[in-house]
Amino acid sequence: MRTGTASLPLHGGHCPPWLFERMQRLGPAILEIIVREYGPGEVLRRLSDPFWFQAFGCVLGFDWHSSGLTTTLCGALKEGLRGREKDLGFVIAGGKGRTSRRTPEEIVAAADRLALTSLKPGDLVYASRMAAKVDNTAVQDGYQLYHHVFIFTFDGRWAVVQQGMNEGTRLARRYHWLGEGVKDFVCEPHAAVCCDAKGETLNMVAGEGQVSRRMVTELAREEPNKVVNEFKRILDRGMPDLPLPWRHDVPRASYLNKALLKVYAAQPRDFAAVLGVEGVGPKTVRALAMVAEVAYGAPASFRDPVRYSFSHGGKDGHPYPVDRREYDRSIAVLEQALAAAKIGRTDKLQALKRLAGISP
């Protein structure tokens, strides 16, 4: 039943301290209920669902049409759960900006601090780095990553929520990963990619791009001079008529030669290994894909992986201001229910489950 409308304009601002403090309490309380009912693996599955993630942010009082929902929600959960990881069975690492680059060391430190001897931190660090490499280098959609959060359980399951910004359009794009659904890091690995606009994209992880990935890998193992000379010939003949405007961000031959020397020394076995070589960025992959398509007839994919959409702005009372009194009441109800459940009284949690079952 339609009961009204809401205007959702773009707007700026920051999350006020009073709201962030409450998000740090209510968010973890909801996740604790999920852990109690379904286990920590369900937290990963829900955070990797773009619709649930967006709705979760709304429940915590953050405007649904804000790109800031991603960073603020993840930050509030990480802070609110700090020190409680052993009770809940999962860890949140990473964050925004420089914090995102500390994700590998946070993973290793958490495994050591919590004495997770059965865990292989190196595998999780690899998953974290590959997820970032894919979305920043293999999927060239114009969005530069600035936020990366890696969530993992004590038995090694993981999920990623990361976001990029397009400086030209000032729009954000969010990438969701769920480890249990990743069969191959470089072939359709995402749980979802969310943005309110599709664009011109070089998508090296598309299912139909297998031939291109194989050809790029073979080129990466070739003598760099051979690839660079072919690249120069393509430039001298003029840019090919390809769907993606190759004129943007095309590397100089000297730069390409330097990058290819690193790849050639590594002799990568597959495309994932190509991406994993330090110094291999979007320009190098784009040049290799160009040579693979023009010189060897291995076309790359230009299908934008966006499947869901969300809009962007800020949080300042749209579609209505947060009712602090009701917010605090919700926190109190959940915290009391959880406290009671810890001593065997689960009646409030059961009532909340029944309420969820009959809610429209």
Side-chain angles (χ1 to χ4, degrees):
M1 181 176 64
R2 184 172 297 172
T3 58
T5 60
S7 298
L8 304 171
L10 295 176
H11 47 283
H14 301 280
C15 183
W18 63 263
L19 177 57
F20 190 76
E21 187 273 332
R22 287 168 170 83
M23 292 176 72
Q24 289 183 76
R25 293 174 61 191
L26 183 57
I30 292 173
L31 293 189
E32 184 172 346
I33 290 174
I34 294 173
V35 169
R36 290 184 62 85
E37 294 295 328
Y38 308 106
E42 184 64 19
V43 172
L44 303 185
R45 285 187 284 273
R46 298 204 184 191
L47 292 178
S48 64
D49 181 328
F51 294 113
W52 191 90
F53 185 93
Q54 204 75 13
F56 188 27
C58 295
V59 168
L60 300 187
F62 208 91
D63 290 349
W64 75 269
H65 58 315
S66 170
S67 59
L69 179 145
T70 305
T71 56
T72 306
L73 174 56
C74 289
L77 294 177
K78 184 179 180 182
E79 289 302 314
L81 292 167
R82 193 182 300 277
R84 300 172 57 192
E85 296 92 344
K86 184 165 286 189
D87 295 330
L88 298 179
F90 69 92
V91 175
I92 298 179
K96 182 180 178 182
R98 282 180 292 184
T99 304
S100 68
R101 294 190 285 275
R102 294 199 296 268
T103 305
E105 60 189 78
E106 287 187 10
I107 293 172
V108 174
D112 182 59
R113 183 177 71 254
L114 298 168
L116 305 179
T117 55
S118 61
L119 201 65
K120 295 181 178 178
D123 292 346
L124 297 179
V125 169
Y126 176 77
S128 168
R129 284 177 169 160
M130 283 303 295
K133 270 279 193 175
V134 165
D135 290 338
N136 221 38
T137 300
V139 179
Q140 298 187 26
D141 50 12
Y143 292 78
Q144 184 76 24
L145 289 186
Y146 67 95
H147 172 269
H148 172 87
V149 159
F150 189 86
I151 312 104
F152 65 95
T153 61
F154 292 1
D155 59 0
R157 288 174 289 176
W158 56 271
V160 170
V161 178
Q162 56 192 5
Q163 187 158 285
M165 177 67 72
N166 185 311
E167 293 296 333
T169 62
R170 302 302 298 172
L171 295 177
R173 177 170 286 200
R174 192 170 69 226
Y175 308 85
H176 292 261
W177 294 63
L178 180 62
E180 66 186 48
V182 177
K183 309 302 181 200
D184 186 336
F185 274 100
V186 294
C187 184
E188 305 289 355
H190 298 98
V193 179
C194 319
C195 189
D196 63 353
K198 289 188 176 184
E200 294 174 316
T201 298
L202 171 61
N203 184 1
M204 293 299 294
V205 300
E208 63 271 21
Q210 183 177 358
V211 175
S212 177
R213 288 191 293 273
R214 186 170 65 246
M215 192 67 243
V216 165
T217 304
E218 291 181 15
L219 286 171
R221 293 196 294 259
E222 290 278 1
E223 188 73 37
N225 284 336
K226 179 180 178 182
V227 180
V228 172
N229 289 336
E230 190 62 51
F231 179 70
K232 286 179 178 178
R233 279 196 290 271
I234 292 172
L235 295 182
D236 291 341
R237 290 199 302 266
M239 301 304 291
D241 184 19
L242 298 175
L244 191 70
W246 293 100
R247 294 173 181 80
H248 293 273
D249 209 24
V250 174
R252 299 185 304 276
S254 59
Y255 166 88
L256 180 61
N257 187 66
K258 188 179 298 184
L260 287 179
L261 282 171
K262 287 186 177 181
V263 184
Y264 178 67
Q267 287 293 292
R269 66 187 181 280
D270 53 27
F271 184 69
V274 173
L275 287 181
V277 175
E278 185 178 355
V280 171
K283 293 180 181 180
T284 304
V285 170
R286 185 174 297 203
L288 288 170
M290 181 192 297
V291 174
E293 177 157 3
V294 177
Y296 298 97
S301 173
F302 297 94
R303 171 172 55 84
D304 195 325
V306 169
R307 302 172 192 173
Y308 306 96
S309 65
F310 67 97
S311 296
H312 312 280
K315 38 58 304 334
D316 64 353
H318 291 277
Y320 54 84
V322 174
D323 187 325
R324 301 190 197 188
R325 182 176 298 177
E326 288 300 318
Y327 201 121
D328 290 342
R329 188 174 300 168
S330 296
I331 292 174
V333 168
L334 288 180
E335 290 182 340
Q336 289 169 13
L338 287 168
K342 288 175 181 177
I343 59 173
R345 294 176 52 201
T346 61
D347 52 323
K348 285 191 176 181
L349 288 182
Q350 294 303 319
L352 288 171
K353 286 181 66 178
R354 291 194 296 273
L355 180 62
I358 63 174
S359 296

